[in-house]
Amino acid sequence: MTLFDMKGKVAVITGSTRGIGRAIAERMAEHGAKVVISSRKADVCEQVATEINASHGEGTAVAIAANISSKEDLQSLVDESNRSFGKIDVLVCNAASNPHYGPLATISDDQFRKILDNNIVANNWLISMVIPQMIERKDGSIIIVSSVGGLKGSTILGAYAISKAADMQLARNLACEYGQHNIRVNCIAPGLIKTDFAKALWDNPDNLKARTARSPLLRIGIPDEIAGAAVLMGSKAGNFMTGQTIVIDGGATIS
Ligand SMILES: NC(=O)c1ccc[n+]([C@@H]2O[C@H](COP(=O)([O-])OP(=O)(O)OC[C@H]3O[C@@H](n4cnc5c(N)ncnc54)[C@H](OP(=O)(O)O)[C@@H]3O)[C@@H](O)[C@H]2O)c1
């Protein structure tokens, strides 16, 4: 048993078919956890679960599709995860939406509401569905994937940044509410990571250069560089940490 061991733990990770969520699922599986792979597309979830089972042993991963914008989908994600593995020890609220790039004056009400619903309200739904069993066992770790966008002003990602700042506060609030039951709630705030979600920010070489020129490590990150913090928060290594946000951005926000 090592500090970062996740043997015997079950982790549900939303948005885990690619990008940061997939890297977290892979690394948690590597550290011994059973993992639930989830996104909107059932066939892709199945494919990723099959690949994780091939690398980490049959029965390591199951696929359960769910759209985070649907309360029914999230309830069935929790019910099916419990049916498959008997419990949920670690919940990673990773999936999020950002349908708008540009000034806040140009965002539609529907886009603004979608961002707040999917990135804040849905996290609270899912967490509330998982909390009762964690209270019963007096143990649990909840991880919300926020963003450094939630720490700074933005001229193009305004509503998204608001939602990610709110996620940090959600973690602090829930950490205070559930600490008495030994449930830890923390955020990871990645900087720019090379995924489909952030493609608009790194695809163009001039954009990329502008974004990395003053960053100490002079580059953007890859999904696997976020996974270690999730393993820390989901394992014994993170047992005394709650209500916190770990920034992982190559130093971009401190320079
Ligand atoms: N990449 C960055 O630079 C960066 C920086 C800071 C924070 N983040 C945060 O990191 C998290 C993951 O982003 P990523 O960059 O890894 O994105 P990604 O590579 O595009 O992966 C997104 C994952 O979420 C799933 N997903 C998307 N919408 C969903 C929905 N409505 N319901 C359920 N699943 C959904 C996707 O699958 P389907 O599309 O098939 O459903 C996919 O599995 C997000 O919270 C994002 O805000 C990213």
Side-chain angles (χ1 to χ4, degrees):
M1 179 82 174
T2 70
L3 205 49
F4 295 89
D5 210 332
M6 292 191 70
K7 262 189 218 89
K9 290 188 191 281
V10 177
V12 173
I13 304 118
T14 64
S16 44
T17 53
R18 58 175 195 268
I20 292 168
R22 175 159 186 176
I24 291 173
E26 294 270 4
R27 290 296 186 176
M28 285 188 170
E30 182 187 70
H31 283 75
K34 305 279 188 207
V35 294
V36 176
I37 302 302
S38 189
S39 82
R40 289 169 295 187
K41 300 186 188 96
D43 54 337
V44 186
C45 292
E46 283 295 347
Q47 189 190 320
V48 171
T50 302
E51 285 168 21
I52 290 180
N53 283 330
S55 333
H56 301 289
E58 212 44 56
T60 300
V62 295
I64 304 171
N67 187 332
I68 55 163
S69 65
S70 157
K71 207 170 194 172
E72 292 72 36
D73 276 17
L74 292 179
Q75 188 59 59
S76 107
L77 172 61
V78 171
D79 294 344
E80 290 296 315
S81 300
N82 285 331
R83 241 190 303 280
S84 298
F85 289 132
K87 59 173 184 164
I88 299 166
D89 301 289
V90 178
L91 171 65
V92 186
C93 297
N94 167 70
S97 302
N98 180 34
H100 179 77
Y101 283 92
L104 274 170
T106 62
I107 192 169
S108 71
D109 289 353
D110 281 350
Q111 287 172 322
F112 209 141
R113 289 199 183 99
K114 182 176 182 177
I115 290 170
L116 301 183
D117 281 348
N118 283 3
N119 300 1
I120 311 168
V121 179
N123 286 346
N124 192 48
W125 283 343
L126 183 55
I127 291 166
S128 302
M129 290 169 190
V130 171
I131 280 283
Q133 58 169 289
M134 291 182 169
I135 291 177
E136 215 169 283
R137 288 194 303 274
K138 288 236 166 274
D139 192 23
S141 173
I142 291 162
I143 302 162
I144 303 171
V145 180
S146 172
S147 167
V148 293
L151 295 169
K152 300 188 293 187
S154 171
T155 53
I156 51 164
L157 294 167
Y160 173 78
I162 288 168
S163 75
K164 293 297 180 174
D167 279 335
M168 297 179 202
Q169 186 60 30
L170 186 63
R172 287 188 284 265
N173 295 343
L174 295 174
C176 290
E177 281 193 47
Y178 298 117
Q180 61 186 310
H181 303 291
N182 190 34
I183 295 164
R184 288 83 63 199
V185 190
N186 293 288
C187 284
I188 299 172
L192 186 52
I193 305 296
K194 197 168 186 181
T195 70
D196 295 346
F197 184 80
K199 202 165 183 177
L201 302 176
W202 55 259
D203 208 20
N204 171 312
D206 293 334
N207 261 352
L208 182 62
K209 204 169 169 200
R211 289 189 167 270
T212 52
R214 285 197 311 271
S215 179
L217 294 184
L218 296 170
R219 65 175 178 88
I220 64 170
I222 56 168
D224 195 46
E225 291 172 319
I226 303 302
V231 172
L232 160 78
M233 290 170 177
S235 64
K236 192 178 167 189
N239 271 1
F240 197 50
M241 178 184 173
T242 197
Q244 303 303 309
T245 297
I246 292 189
V247 172
I248 307 174
D249 67 346
T253 50
I254 57 93
S255 63

